[in-house]
Amino acid sequence: MSAPVTAEVAAIKNLKQIAREEFILPGTAVCGGCGGLEGLRLAAKVLGSKTVYINAAGCFTLLAVYPYSPFKGSWLYTTMGGAAAAAQGVRDALDVLMARGKLPVEDDVQVVVVAGDGSTYDMAMAANSGAIFRGLDFWYFCYDNESYGNTGVQMSSATPYGARTTTTPVGSAARAGTEHGKKDLFEIWRAHQPAYLATVSPRYPVDLTNKFLKAKGLRGPKLFIAHASCPTGWLFEPKRSAEVAKLAVQTGIFALKECVGGAVTHTHIPRRRKPVEEYLRGQGRYAHLFEPTRNDAALRLIQEQVDRYWEAAAKAGAASS
Ligand SMILES: Cc1ncc(C[n+]2csc(CCOP(=O)(O)OP(=O)(O)O)c2C)c(N)n1
Ligand code: SF4
Ligand SMILES: [Mg+2]
């Protein structure tokens, strides 16, 4: 059921138009420079306080430690695989309360899953598929730090080729560290025909805000994959987090895009893409690609993959804002 959807909210044009009020307060236990938290903080400014966050086990479980919570809104902790199922239960309960007149329909309480990539790309794949297929009216914020960060940076199926993790160390048998490619979650989710699907980066706050504003006017699954620069797991200084996030977009490694009604639109096209090396070099997880000897083959492969992606996007007629 849910409350009636609101009309589409007008897009913002600049940073000054982003709400000043904070809905996730500072002073949490997550690492300094956590890009995932910055993305969620910006998203929360659109989601507001009438929210129930359903948080799958992961780094962000550290956000709320009983009896303290930084959220202006409710928070529920679930298993890694169970957040979307919990979201269904919470949505149903809210709908029953509204139907019985015990919760004002105007409150329009939103259900928001917050989950990492290990949860989203791996363990919760089936539960998420079911929830999206059922057309559940919920939001899904996947902060993608490309590893099982909370338990010591193990490889997930979101870990990109060439990145070193604690379970994909560099050795004579695996010179590149992780030797498989990153799972294309965007395309997997797109095949489910959700109401809204987008990638977001905390370093592009206007783009992020506009995507959440657009989704606000839609009922059904509203899915977000957020680039989550992770100083602790990717091995760089926390103060460089914003720079790393920006380079991901400028090199074309992380594409900013959205999908409504099946059609994909790139919301930002880096016209002169920087070489991928500029993104990779500053992160310890890729250091073995440069030292003690340069792994030209691996670097070429990563660059070619990015080039191929953007060539295909251009052929498909990727629109730009
Ligand atoms: C079924 C199951 N296996 C293992 C764990 C232990 N565990 C807790 S958090 C976590 C890492 C989660 O990774 P991700 O979803 O990417 O979130 P991140 O830690 O990176 O924020 C793991 C493996 C668990 N909670 N449940
Ligand atoms: S390990 Fe990475 S994703 Fe997890 S809290 Fe720290 S910076 Fe954020
Ligand atoms: Mg993770």
Side-chain angles (χ1 to χ4, degrees):
M1 184 178 91
S2 314
V5 287
T6 46
E8 195 174 314
V9 189
I12 63 162
K13 292 193 168 52
N14 55 53
L15 284 174
K16 284 186 183 157
Q17 292 175 284
I18 293 177
R20 294 185 78 85
E21 184 177 355
E22 298 293 344
F23 292 88
I24 298 178
L25 301 173
T28 69
V30 302
C31 314
C34 176
L37 181 59
E38 180 59 6
L40 186 59
R41 184 181 75 88
L42 290 164
K45 284 171 178 273
V46 179
L47 294 165
S49 61
K50 301 282 171 67
T51 42
V52 181
Y53 287 94
I54 317 269
N55 194 166
C59 284
F60 284 8
T61 315
L62 301 174
L63 284 171
V65 182
Y66 182 81
Y68 304 106
S69 165
F71 290 99
K72 287 186 190 167
S74 302
W75 182 83
L76 177 71
Y77 171 41
T78 71
T79 60
M80 289 185 69
Q88 177 79 60
V90 171
R91 183 69 266 162
D92 290 349
L94 292 169
D95 290 347
V96 168
L97 289 174
M98 282 195 289
R100 291 182 182 169
K102 292 187 174 170
L103 180 71
V105 175
E106 318 77 73
D107 276 7
D108 195 14
V109 179
Q110 299 293 307
V111 178
V112 186
V113 167
V114 174
D117 52 289
S119 172
T120 307
Y121 285 67
D122 294 335
M123 292 193 205
M125 186 58 89
N128 291 349
S129 175
I132 302 166
F133 176 73
R134 293 192 300 275
L136 178 63
D137 186 25
F138 78 134
W139 302 73
Y140 197 112
F141 182 90
C142 170
Y143 61 100
D144 186 357
N145 65 358
E146 303 183 328
S147 71
Y148 290 82
N150 187 237
T151 39
V153 193
Q154 294 87 17
M155 184 208 79
S156 79
S157 58
T159 306
Y161 172 85
R164 171 166 61 93
T165 71
T166 49
T167 46
T168 49
V170 181
S172 52
R175 281 195 62 216
T178 303
E179 300 223 302
H180 63 74
K182 187 179 170 89
K183 192 187 277 181
D184 192 346
L185 180 66
F186 188 91
E187 284 303 315
I188 293 169
W189 273 355
R190 186 161 84 99
H192 287 69
Q193 302 172 22
Y196 188 78
L197 167 62
T199 60
V200 291
S201 163
R203 194 59 186 81
Y204 290 77
V206 173
D207 179 81
L208 182 153
T209 301
N210 281 332
K211 285 169 173 168
F212 276 83
L213 286 172
K214 186 183 274 192
K216 215 171 180 178
L218 301 169
R219 178 170 302 153
K222 297 168 272 288
L223 315 174
F224 295 82
I225 303 168
H227 186 265
S229 43
C230 170
T232 310
W234 300 3
L235 305 172
F236 62 83
E237 284 291 313
K239 67 180 179 197
R240 292 193 52 244
S241 197
E243 178 199 337
V244 169
K246 190 164 193 178
L247 280 169
V249 174
Q250 290 176 326
T251 54
I253 280 185
F254 190 80
L256 289 172
K257 54 189 172 179
E258 66 180 358
C259 173
V260 188
V264 178
T265 303
H266 286 82
T267 55
H268 174 85
I269 297 178
R271 292 282 168 212
R272 284 198 194 126
R273 289 195 307 278
K274 292 188 172 178
V276 293
E277 280 192 36
E278 290 192 30
Y279 173 71
L280 307 174
R281 253 189 194 288
Q283 300 176 49
R285 63 175 174 158
Y286 293 116
H288 56 283
L289 300 183
F290 300 97
E291 293 161 1
T293 50
R294 213 180 133 82
N295 188 338
D296 278 318
L299 292 168
R300 203 166 39 245
L301 192 85
I302 297 169
Q303 185 65 65
E304 282 170 1
Q305 276 172 353
V306 172
D307 292 346
R308 263 202 307 278
Y309 174 88
W310 287 102
E311 275 161 26
K315 274 196 195 128
S320 172
S321 61

